[in-house]
Amino acid sequence: MAGRGVPAIANGAATAADWMSAASFISMAGLISFMGYDGAVYLMGWTGGYVLLALLLAPYLRKYGKYTVPDFIGDRYYSHTARAVAAIATIFISLTYVAGQMRGVGIVFSRFLQVDIATGVIIGVAVVAFFAVLGGMKGITWTQVAQYTVLIIAYLIPAIAIANILTGNPVPQLAFTFSDLVARLNQIQVDLGFTEYTKPFQGKPMIDILAITLALMVGTAGLPHVIIRFYTVPDVRSARYSAGWALLFIALLYTTAPAVAAFARYNLISTLHGKSLEEVRQIDWVAKWEKTKLLAFVDKDGDGKVTVAPGRAFALKGGKPDFNTPDEKSKNEVHIDNDIIVLSTPEVAKLSPFVIALVAAGGLAAALSTAAGLLLAMSSAISHDIYYRIFRPTATEAQRLLAGRIVILLAVILAGYFGVNPPGFVAQVVAFAFGLAAASLFPAILLGIFDKRMNREGAIAGILVGLIFTATMIGMMRAPQIFGAPAPVIPNLWGISAEGIGVVGMILNFVVAYVVSRITPPPPEHIQHLVEDIRIPKRAGQAAEH
Amino acid sequence: MSNLEGYWKANTSLIRNLLIIWALVSYVFGILLVEPLNSIRLGGLPLGFWFAQQGSIYVFVVLIFYYAWKMDQLDRQYGVHE
């Protein structure tokens, strides 16, 4: 054990860097800012999953010690079909997730190169493809520890500065909790015709909040590129502690984000509302963001002043704002894309250009490091699990490498397409990946460890039902954004939206897997021994010592 | 073998207890009971809102470290540590 692997704390920081993506860094605070209380789904959802990971999956997968998630599923369910289904699920999940990253990268490039968002995404695709195909992105742990450091500093500096300016308390979490800022924000919101910022269930009903939170938690625990990190620690004990450190490092950003969200909203409203359009357009960051079309104004009442109010500034066309058609149902005259909240916060708070550049670098680091991890998970699913393990066990190292690179290239291009035509905001795109992971991989892994009787037939049936159900429902609920349909086929299921539907898929998976496994033959003897073995930390070879 | 069964039983009941706390701070305090809890204030925030956007996350971190620490003891007690 000595000299092997890295300390749990370093692996924790590396996991945090790998995991916190463009969605966490760029999108999340913006979404919360817009959603108020309802934004808690992302906060609880993307942290609570680590509890499931630490208690239910990581220690056992570490004990098993293979390289990929499809490897575990293929071996545990003694089946190439199970391996292939798990590999396809991995590809599907990672591709959805990586599309969210491309959009994040595109937003950063579009702002700082002063181009429109589509061009920004294409530049992002080119950069990612270049690095991935060269094979230069395979991060080692200490590089990722450094990435975490950049990322968290870039996030905390503007948060601390704004907390200090607005409340006189530099610790964002304390400023958020103990100052009267949120109370003041509540009052401003009510004055402008919004509901209170802290009022729950304004955008989504309670059942949807429950479903989305659970889908995100379970999905986090089922994400292949997150699980892979726990194979790199030296032993089972480190896998447990490593999950704790990872969540501690993640929590540093995740408890800051809701503070940034409230501060940014307060700041934006007070900077824009009631000012003359001319005056507002002279502000440097307003002019620059307006060029990206992520910030736009329309003077509906012709008074030359900006009005912030509930509702849309522009009518929607195909799920996107149509800048030629003001939405006359609302008095709101400002369109603010949620994704610019974090990136513009240092500018709104008048911090130095160095900090502004640092935040952009942090966002880019977050997006690129996560994209790298996802592309690796995807290419290993195809080149290792499908191509090598199933079709060509005789393939040479070079052939497998080539297959992996072709996959990465295709995946980046496809992801770029979805980045330009996104089915939602970055964090929502990513949320679909979680729903799919929750409905497919998580139940199969969990049952593989905790239910000795679970067999091949049950697991495969469960994964297929969960995956197909969830993908179909998301496709129907998001038909306008994905297929350009005029309206969703169904808007929601019992109040559960596309983001939370993975929970229903997961329940179906569990039920189908249980029923099918009980009416088909039990798994072979050696598989039952395998399950007994992964349940204890001690390795088989060590038994003789006692 | 009964030794290992005892270990597994102790492990699963620890997991169950910790997951009850996990669900309590997030789903119960942060979502189901958020409205009644919001009539209580913690500093400048309504308590239910605080659980949803701050408190639950702190509890999650503590839960994982507690589990890791407790499992260290169980591993030794049953002699299954590496």
Side-chain angles (χ1 to χ4, degrees):
Chain A
M1 179 175 137
R4 235 195 94 195
V6 285
I9 182 166
N11 191 62
T15 308
D18 224 16
W19 189 71
M20 283 195 286
S21 59
S24 301
F25 193 97
I26 300 174
S27 263
M28 193 174 64
L31 271 172
I32 299 167
S33 188
F34 179 72
M35 296 163 74
Y37 160 86
D38 294 3
V41 293
Y42 300 112
L43 296 167
M44 291 191 284
W46 285 335
T47 53
Y50 274 81
V51 178
L52 298 177
L53 198 59
L55 271 52
L56 301 174
L57 308 183
Y60 311 104
L61 291 173
R62 172 63 197 86
K63 174 67 195 299
Y64 183 62
K66 284 285 183 73
Y67 181 63
T68 67
V69 170
D71 251 344
F72 173 75
I73 291 182
D75 290 358
R76 166 64 181 82
Y77 296 116
Y78 45 99
S79 153
H80 275 331
T81 311
R83 190 186 306 276
V85 171
I88 290 165
T90 298
I91 295 160
F92 216 61
I93 292 160
S94 305
L95 192 62
T96 319
Y97 204 137
V98 95
Q101 307 307 313
M102 300 317 299
R103 172 122 178 125
V105 175
I107 287 168
V108 176
F109 278 124
S110 77
R111 163 63 179 79
F112 292 94
L113 300 177
Q114 302 282 307
V115 292
D116 68 32
I117 185 89
T119 315
V121 172
I122 292 164
I123 296 172
V125 168
V127 172
V128 173
F130 180 74
F131 281 109
V133 173
L134 275 185
M137 300 221 298
K138 195 166 183 175
I140 49 165
T141 306
W142 291 108
T143 318
Q144 284 167 324
V145 173
Q147 269 172 336
Y148 172 77
T149 314
V150 171
L151 194 155
I152 198 70
I153 290 174
Y155 205 84
L156 291 181
I157 288 180
I160 290 169
I162 289 168
N164 201 20
I165 291 169
L166 292 181
T167 70
N169 187 335
V171 182
Q173 289 83 349
L174 297 179
F176 181 53
T177 309
F178 294 106
S179 76
D180 65 343
L181 186 112
V182 175
R184 273 190 280 158
L185 176 59
N186 276 345
Q187 190 54 50
I188 294 177
Q189 296 243 110
V190 172
D191 291 346
L192 295 182
F194 296 91
T195 51
E196 287 186 346
Y197 184 76
T198 53
K199 199 168 167 51
F201 317 124
Q202 294 308 294
K204 300 170 190 297
M206 185 193 277
I207 182 156
D208 202 25
I209 297 279
L210 283 169
I212 296 174
T213 307
L214 187 55
L216 294 180
M217 285 194 189
V218 174
T220 300
L223 281 180
H225 75 286
V226 174
I227 293 174
I228 282 176
R229 283 241 51 108
F230 292 92
Y231 290 115
T232 63
V233 293
D235 51 31
V236 172
R237 185 173 178 271
S238 321
R240 295 184 194 129
Y241 278 100
S242 182
W245 289 115
L247 185 58
L248 181 69
F249 291 129
I250 290 163
L252 210 51
L253 190 147
Y254 272 61
T255 53
T256 306
V260 169
F263 298 159
R265 185 159 183 92
Y266 181 87
N267 235 337
L268 268 175
I269 295 178
S270 49
T271 309
L272 299 177
H273 182 73
K275 305 279 169 61
S276 80
L277 255 177
E278 217 172 303
E279 184 188 348
V280 163
R281 283 201 168 115
Q282 272 165 10
I283 305 172
D284 188 51
W285 63 267
V286 171
K288 282 181 175 155
W289 281 109
E290 208 179 357
K291 273 190 207 151
T292 64
K293 301 243 169 66
L294 295 172
L295 177 67
F297 300 96
V298 52
D299 193 10
K300 286 178 188 168
D301 49 12
D303 68 351
K305 283 185 180 164
V306 178
T307 306
V308 179
R312 298 177 194 288
F314 299 96
L316 286 188
K317 204 163 96 183
K320 288 182 206 168
D322 173 10
F323 295 109
N324 298 317
T325 322
D327 186 341
E328 298 298 347
K329 286 191 296 266
S330 157
K331 282 192 208 145
N332 187 17
E333 297 178 335
V334 194
H335 164 75
I336 303 170
D337 189 298
N338 296 331
D339 289 342
I340 71 174
I341 294 280
V342 167
L343 294 174
S344 68
T345 296
E347 297 169 294
V348 177
K350 303 190 182 76
L351 297 181
S352 81
F354 170 74
V355 176
I356 297 166
L358 182 69
V359 171
L364 219 48
L368 291 174
S369 65
T370 307
L374 289 161
L375 291 169
L376 282 175
M378 227 184 311
S379 80
S380 67
I382 293 185
S383 65
H384 176 85
D385 298 312
I386 295 182
Y387 178 66
Y388 173 60
R389 292 297 301 268
I390 299 177
F391 289 110
R392 293 260 326 252
T394 57
T396 63
E397 181 82 34
Q399 285 172 322
R400 275 145 59 193
L401 217 61
L402 180 67
R405 283 180 181 167
I406 293 171
V407 173
I408 288 180
L409 195 61
L410 291 177
V412 173
I413 293 169
L414 203 56
Y417 171 80
F418 285 119
V420 178
N421 303 292
F425 294 105
V426 174
Q428 289 178 350
V429 175
V430 170
F432 297 151
F434 286 81
L436 296 172
S440 60
L441 299 177
F442 178 82
I445 303 172
L446 186 75
L447 292 169
I449 298 160
F450 287 84
D451 181 15
K452 228 189 278 183
R453 177 67 176 74
M454 184 48 59
N455 62 6
R456 174 176 60 194
E457 291 78 3
I460 295 173
I463 295 177
L464 284 179
V465 168
L467 199 61
I468 292 168
F469 171 83
T470 307
T472 310
M473 291 305 271
I474 290 176
M476 291 200 294
M477 290 173 179
R478 294 281 162 156
Q481 291 92 336
I482 300 175
F483 305 110
V489 182
I490 50 164
N492 61 61
L493 185 72
W494 313 309
I496 299 175
S497 66
E499 288 176 271
I501 201 67
V503 167
V504 183
M506 174 192 77
I507 294 168
L508 284 176
N509 183 335
F510 275 120
V511 172
V512 169
Y514 185 85
V515 171
V516 172
S517 72
R518 286 339 188 243
I519 55 174
T520 45
E525 191 96 347
H526 73 274
I527 294 297
Q528 306 202 20
H529 288 312
L530 173 95
V531 176
E532 276 161 18
D533 182 63
I534 59 173
R535 287 178 177 185
I536 54 165
K538 187 161 68 178
R539 270 164 276 178
Q542 291 176 317
E545 294 164 21
H546 289 268
Chain B
M1 210 59 219
S2 68
N3 188 28
L4 291 184
E5 267 165 34
Y7 170 75
W8 188 244
K9 225 176 189 162
N11 178 21
T12 45
S13 71
L14 175 61
I15 291 173
R16 186 198 59 221
N17 293 340
L18 295 181
L19 287 183
I20 289 172
I21 300 174
W22 165 82
L24 202 65
V25 293
S26 51
Y27 296 101
V28 179
F29 294 165
I31 302 176
L32 290 168
L33 295 182
V34 63
E35 281 168 322
L37 284 180
N38 274 353
S39 57
I40 306 167
R41 302 195 85 79
L42 178 79
L45 293 182
L47 186 61
F49 178 85
W50 180 82
F51 265 108
Q53 297 211 344
Q54 296 274 298
S56 57
I57 302 174
Y58 299 130
V59 176
F60 294 156
V61 175
V62 173
L63 286 178
I64 300 183
F65 279 110
Y66 179 80
Y67 177 71
W69 173 75
K70 198 79 193 161
M71 286 307 285
D72 276 353
Q73 294 183 333
L74 276 183
D75 287 352
R76 274 174 211 293
Q77 190 185 330
Y78 287 90
V80 294
H81 55 283
E82 279 174 275

